[in-house]
C-alpha cells in the first residue's frame, strides 16, 4: 500500500503522533535508565543521590524521603521488621534527629544515648498527632502509628528547616545534566527534521491534487464540462476530487436536462397557444356572425350562442386541467390517503357507471373481484384519474363502441391495476411520451375536440402523489393498456410504508 493511499486524517495523525512520540520515548528511556539505576540503590544511597541532584533543597529532601520510607515499610509487610526501618532511622540520625520505634509499648529501637521518655516529652510538647510531621525553625518532629502492627514511630531533633545544606558531587550531577541535555537536544532536532519531511510529503500529496482541482474548476467555470479530473489517491483529497468529478458529470447531465426542459417549455407554450387560439377563433367567428347579421334568425342566433357557450366550457375545462396539473406538479395538492379495497371500488364503479358509459360508446368490464388487498388512495383524485382514463379511451376509439377491461392482480407487494381498451392505440415509440403534458399523437394538433393532451399528464401526477407508478403498453390484438401500480397496504404495518 502506498503512503498516498492512506487516508489524509491517518497521515496527519501519524505525523503528529511521531512528533510527539519520539521526544516522549526519549524521555521515557532516560527516565527508565535513571529508575533502573536508582532501583538497585538502598535507601541511604537513594537519599544521597536525591541530595546531590537537588542541592538547593539541602537535607530536607533526604529527611522527607526517609520519613516516607518509614511509613511505607511500617505497613507494607505482614510483620514489623526492624531491619527494614534501620536504614531510614540512620538517615534521620545522620541529620541529628533521634528516633524511637515501639510496639505494644515495648521499645524495639531507640537512637543510642537517647532516652525514649525525652522523645515522648518533646512530641507531647509540640502536640504531634499520628500521622504527622512538623518541621519548622524550631526543629523537626515526627510521629506515626501503625494500627496494623500496633507500632509507634517517633522522631525529634533540634534541626531547623533551613539550617542543613549539603554539597553536591559535581561529577554525578554534571554527567546527568550533560546526558539529559544531549538526549533532549537530539530529540528536538530529530523531531524538527521529521516534522519538516512529513510536512513536505503531505504538502506535495495535497497541493498537487488541489492544483489540478483548481484548473478543472476554471475550465468548468468557463463552460467546459468535458474536462475530466483524474486523481489516483484514495485518501480524502482523492475522494473530494472524485466527488467533484461526479458533480461535473451531474452538471453536464443537468445542462442537457435543462436544454430538454427548455425545448419542452417552448413546446408547452406552443401547445397552450394553439389550444387556446382555436376556440378563441371560433368564439370570434360566432360573435362576428351575430354582430354582422349573419345569424339573422332567432334559431341561428340561439345556435351561435350555444356554440359560444360550448367553446367557453371547453376553454374553461382546459384552463382548469392546466391549473390542476400545475398544482400537482408543484406538490400543492394535498392527498388524503385512506385504505380502499380496489376490487370493491371498481365493482361498485362498473355497476353504477356501465350504462352511462355505454351510452357514450364505451363497454366497461371488470375482472379482479377475488383480489382482497388494500391500497391507500385519495378518493377524489382517484375518481378523476379513472374518469380521465375512460374519457381518453372514448376519445380515441376506432369503432362505434370501444371495449375497456379493468383488471387487478397482485405482484411483489403491489397491486397492478390495468385499463385495457381495443381502440386506435399508439405507436410503440410513443408509449413513453403520452404522459407528457400537451403531448398528442396528432403532431399538427388539428383535432382539438379530442383533447388537449392534459388528461394523461394529470393522471400521472395523481398516481405519483399516491406513491405509485404508471406506464402504457400495447393491448394484445390492438389498442392501448394503461397500467397503474400501487403499494399494498396492510393494516398491521406502519404508515411509513407509504411515506417514501
Amino acid at each position: 500500500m502506498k503512503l498516498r493511499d492512506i487516508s489524509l486524517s491517518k497521515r496527519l495523525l501519524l505525523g503528529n503522533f511521531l512528533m510527539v512520540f519520539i521526544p516522549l520515548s526519549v524521555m521515557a528511556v532516560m527516565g527508565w535508565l535513571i529508575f533502573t539505576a536508582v532501583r538497585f540503590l538502598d535507601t541511604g544511597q537513594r537519599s544521597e543521590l536525591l541530595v546531590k541532584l537537588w542541592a538547593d533543597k539541602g537535607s530536607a529532601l533526604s529527611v522527607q524521603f526517609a520519613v516516607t520510607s518509614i511509613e511505607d515499610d511500617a505497613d507494607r509487610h505482614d510483620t514489623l521488621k526492624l531491619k527494614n526501618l534501620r536504614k531510614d532511622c540512620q538517615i534521620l540520625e545522620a541529620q541529628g534527629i533521634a528516633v524511637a520505634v515501639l510496639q505494644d509499648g515495648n521499645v524495639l529501637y531507640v537512637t543510642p544515648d537517647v532516652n525514649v521518655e525525652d522523645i515522648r516529652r518533646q512530641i507531647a510538647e509540640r502536640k504531634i498527632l499520628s500521622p504527622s510531621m512538623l518541621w519548622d525553625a524550631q526543629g523537626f518532629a515526627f510521629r506515626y502509628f501503625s494500627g496494623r502492627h500496633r507500632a509507634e514511630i517517633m522522631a525529634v531533633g533540634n534541626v531547623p528547616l533551613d539550617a542543613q545544606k549539603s554539597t553536591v558531587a559535581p561529577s554525578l550531577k554534571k554527567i546527568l545534566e550533560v546526558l539529559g541535555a544531549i538526549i533532549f537536544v537530539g530529540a528536538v532536532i530529530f523531531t524538527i527534521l521529521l516534522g519538516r519531511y512529513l510536512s513536505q510529503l503531505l504538502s506535495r500529496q495535497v497541493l498537487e491534487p488541489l492544483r489540478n482541482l483548481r484548473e478543472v474548476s476554471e475550465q468548468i467555470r468557463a463552460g467546459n464540462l468535458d474536462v475530466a479530473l483524474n486523481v489516483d489517491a484514495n485518501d480524502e483529497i482523492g475522494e473530494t476530487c472524485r466527488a467533484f468529478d461526479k458533480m461535473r458529470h451531474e452538471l453536464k447531465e443537468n445542462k442537457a436536462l435543462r436544454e430538454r426542459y427548455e425545448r419542452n417549455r417552448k413546446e408547452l407554450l406552443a401547445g397552450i397557444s394553439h389550444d387556446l387560439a382555436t376556440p378563441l377563433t371560433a368564439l370570434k367567428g360566432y360573435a362576428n356572425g351575430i354582430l354582422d347579421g349573419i345569424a339573422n334568425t332567432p334559431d341561428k342566433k340561439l345556435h351561435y350562442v350555444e356554440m359560444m357557450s360550448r367553446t367557453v366550457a371547453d376553454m374553461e375545462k382546459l384552463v382548469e386541467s392546466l391549473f390542476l396539473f400545475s398544482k400537482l406538479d408543484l406538490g400543492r395538492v394535498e392527498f388524503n390517503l385512506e385504505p380502499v379495497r380496489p376490487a370493491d371500488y371498481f365493482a361498485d364503479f362498473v355497476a353504477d357507471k356501465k350504462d352511462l358509459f355505454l351510452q357514450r360508446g364505451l363497454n366497461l368490464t371488470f375482472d379482479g373481484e377475488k383480489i382482497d388487498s388494500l391500497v391507500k388512495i385519495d378518493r377524489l383524485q382517484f375518481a378523476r384519474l379513472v374518469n380521465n382514463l375512460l374519457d381518453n379511451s372514448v376519445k380515441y376509439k376506432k369503432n362505434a363502441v370501444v371495449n375497456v377491461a379493468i383488471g387487478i392482480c397482485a405482484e411483489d407487494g403491489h397491486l397492478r391495476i390495468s385499463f385495457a381498451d381495443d381502440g386506435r392505440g399508439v405507436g410503440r415509440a410513443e408509449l413513453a411520451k403520452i404522459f407528457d403534458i400537451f403531448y398528442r399523437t396528432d403532431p399538427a394538433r388539428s383535432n382539438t375536440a379530442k383533447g388537449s393532451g392534459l388528461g394523461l399528464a394529470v393522471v400521472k401526477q395523481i398516481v405519483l402523489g399516491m406513491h405509485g407508478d404508471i406506464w402504457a403498453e400495447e393491448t394484445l390484438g390492438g389498442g392501448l393498456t394503461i397500467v397503474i401500480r400501487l403499494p399494498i397496504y396492510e393494516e398491521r404495518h406502519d404508515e411509513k410504508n407509504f411515506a417514501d
Side-chain angles (χ1 to χ4, degrees):
M1 178 182 291
K2 297 181 181 180
L3 180 61
R4 67 186 306 149
D5 292 336
I6 301 175
S7 67
L8 184 61
S9 60
K10 290 183 179 179
R11 278 184 280 167
L12 292 174
L13 181 63
L14 178 62
N16 293 332
F17 172 75
L18 291 176
M19 286 187 285
V20 174
F21 174 75
I22 290 178
L24 288 179
S25 299
V26 172
M27 292 165 51
V29 170
M30 185 172 63
W32 178 80
L33 292 174
I34 295 175
F35 174 77
T36 302
V38 173
R39 183 179 179 184
F40 293 99
L41 300 178
D42 58 27
T43 304
Q45 292 172 326
R46 294 177 190 176
S47 178
E48 182 180 357
L49 179 63
L50 291 173
V51 171
K52 289 180 179 181
L53 289 176
W54 284 277
D56 57 321
K57 299 291 185 180
S59 60
L61 191 59
S62 178
V63 171
Q64 293 174 356
F65 180 81
V67 168
T68 303
S69 180
I70 287 174
E71 294 178 350
D72 183 57
D73 290 337
D75 290 327
R76 181 189 306 173
H77 306 287
D78 294 334
T79 59
L80 183 64
K81 297 181 179 180
L82 187 59
K83 65 178 182 178
N84 296 328
L85 302 175
R86 191 179 300 277
K87 197 67 178 180
D88 297 324
C89 294
Q90 291 174 355
I91 294 174
L92 295 176
E93 291 169 348
Q95 303 298 328
I97 299 173
V99 182
V101 180
L102 294 82
Q103 185 176 30
D104 293 330
N106 299 319
V107 178
L108 296 182
Y109 175 82
V110 66
T111 300
D113 301 327
V114 175
N115 191 307
V116 174
E117 296 302 325
D118 290 340
I119 295 177
R120 284 183 182 278
R121 178 178 51 77
Q122 294 183 48
I123 290 292
E125 288 177 353
R126 304 201 66 177
K127 300 179 180 179
I128 303 300
L129 303 176
S130 173
S132 181
M133 182 184 75
L134 179 62
W135 196 359
D136 53 21
Q138 297 179 5
F140 175 84
F142 166 74
R143 183 184 183 190
Y144 181 75
F145 181 78
S146 174
R148 181 178 183 184
H149 302 300
R150 298 184 305 280
E152 184 179 13
I153 303 171
M154 298 177 291
V156 294
N158 296 323
V159 183
L161 182 60
D162 58 350
Q164 296 294 328
K165 302 291 181 182
S166 60
T167 60
V168 179
S171 58
L172 178 60
K173 183 177 181 180
K174 188 67 176 177
I175 291 173
L176 293 176
E177 288 179 350
V178 172
L179 179 61
I182 291 175
I183 295 175
F184 177 76
V185 172
V188 170
I189 293 175
F190 185 79
T191 301
I192 293 174
L193 294 177
L194 178 64
R196 181 180 178 183
Y197 170 75
L198 292 176
S199 299
Q200 291 176 346
L201 182 63
L202 291 176
S203 297
R204 184 170 62 253
Q205 294 180 352
V206 171
L207 294 180
E208 183 177 352
L210 289 179
R211 183 168 52 253
N212 294 337
L213 182 62
R214 184 178 64 252
E215 293 174 355
V216 172
S217 64
E218 291 291 337
Q219 293 285 336
I220 292 176
R221 190 177 67 174
N224 182 11
L225 295 175
D226 295 323
V227 58
L229 179 62
N230 299 317
V231 177
D232 297 331
N234 294 322
D235 56 7
E236 290 84 351
I237 296 296
E239 292 176 358
T240 301
C241 292
R242 282 188 288 275
F244 185 88
D245 197 58
K246 183 178 179 181
M247 181 192 69
R248 178 186 65 84
H249 281 288
E250 292 177 353
L251 287 175
K252 186 176 180 180
E253 293 174 358
N254 289 337
K255 181 179 179 181
L257 183 62
R258 187 170 60 250
E259 291 175 352
R260 187 167 73 250
Y261 282 163
E262 182 65 19
R263 290 194 300 269
N264 292 342
R265 185 185 66 83
K266 292 178 180 179
E267 292 176 1
L268 173 63
L269 291 176
I272 294 175
S273 300
H274 185 280
D275 287 347
L276 289 178
T278 300
L280 285 175
T281 301
L283 280 175
K284 183 178 179 181
Y286 294 135
N288 289 336
I290 295 175
L291 293 175
D292 295 342
I294 297 176
N296 52 12
T297 65
D299 291 338
K300 283 187 177 182
K301 289 182 179 180
L302 179 60
H303 174 70
Y304 276 36
V305 171
E306 288 176 349
M307 295 301 296
M308 292 173 66
S309 177
R310 290 180 186 177
T311 303
V312 170
D314 291 339
M315 293 180 63
E316 184 180 24
K317 186 176 181 180
L318 172 65
V319 172
E320 288 177 355
S321 297
L322 181 60
F323 182 64
L324 175 61
F325 174 82
S326 300
K327 291 177 63 178
L328 288 168
D329 191 40
L330 295 173
R332 295 180 180 176
V333 175
E334 183 177 354
F335 283 80
N336 298 315
L337 301 180
E338 57 179 295
V340 172
R341 183 171 287 101
D344 296 342
Y345 181 92
F346 284 111
D348 295 339
F349 181 84
V350 172
D352 292 340
K353 304 290 185 180
K354 183 178 180 65
D355 292 340
L356 180 62
F357 278 104
L358 190 58
Q359 295 175 9
R360 298 175 56 191
L362 186 149
N363 181 32
L364 188 61
T365 60
F366 169 62
D367 181 20
E369 296 181 0
K370 296 181 180 179
I371 303 299
D372 200 38
S373 301
L374 300 174
V375 296
K376 295 193 74 175
I377 64 172
D378 183 303
R379 287 182 176 271
L380 176 63
Q381 300 301 336
F382 194 77
R384 178 179 283 116
L385 174 153
V386 173
N387 287 324
N388 281 3
L389 292 178
L390 297 179
D391 287 343
N392 192 71
S393 295
V394 172
K395 291 173 185 176
Y396 296 98
K397 63 184 179 180
K398 63 181 180 180
N399 299 317
V401 176
V402 61
N403 296 298
V404 177
I406 302 176
I408 301 177
C409 63
E411 57 178 20
D412 300 330
H414 292 73
L415 275 188
R416 174 189 170 109
I417 305 173
S418 60
F419 296 79
D421 67 30
D422 58 357
R424 285 184 354 191
V426 298
R428 184 170 299 178
E430 298 174 321
L431 290 175
K433 301 178 182 179
I434 61 175
F435 297 103
D436 295 342
I437 185 171
F438 282 103
Y439 179 81
R440 288 213 301 260
T441 55
D442 175 17
R445 307 180 66 86
S446 58
N447 192 352
T448 57
K450 288 192 174 182
S452 61
L454 280 170
L456 292 182
V458 170
V459 166
K460 180 179 180 180
Q461 293 299 322
I462 292 175
V463 172
L464 294 177
M466 294 187 296
H467 315 295
D469 300 317
I470 186 171
W471 65 90
E473 299 175 350
E474 291 180 322
T475 303
L476 293 177
L480 180 67
T481 298
I482 304 297
V483 181
I484 298 173
R485 194 166 178 262
L486 296 174
I488 292 177
Y489 171 76
E490 297 184 17
E491 294 178 328
R492 66 178 182 274
H493 286 180
D494 191 86
E495 294 289 339
K496 291 181 180 179
N497 293 336
F498 296 86
D500 298 332

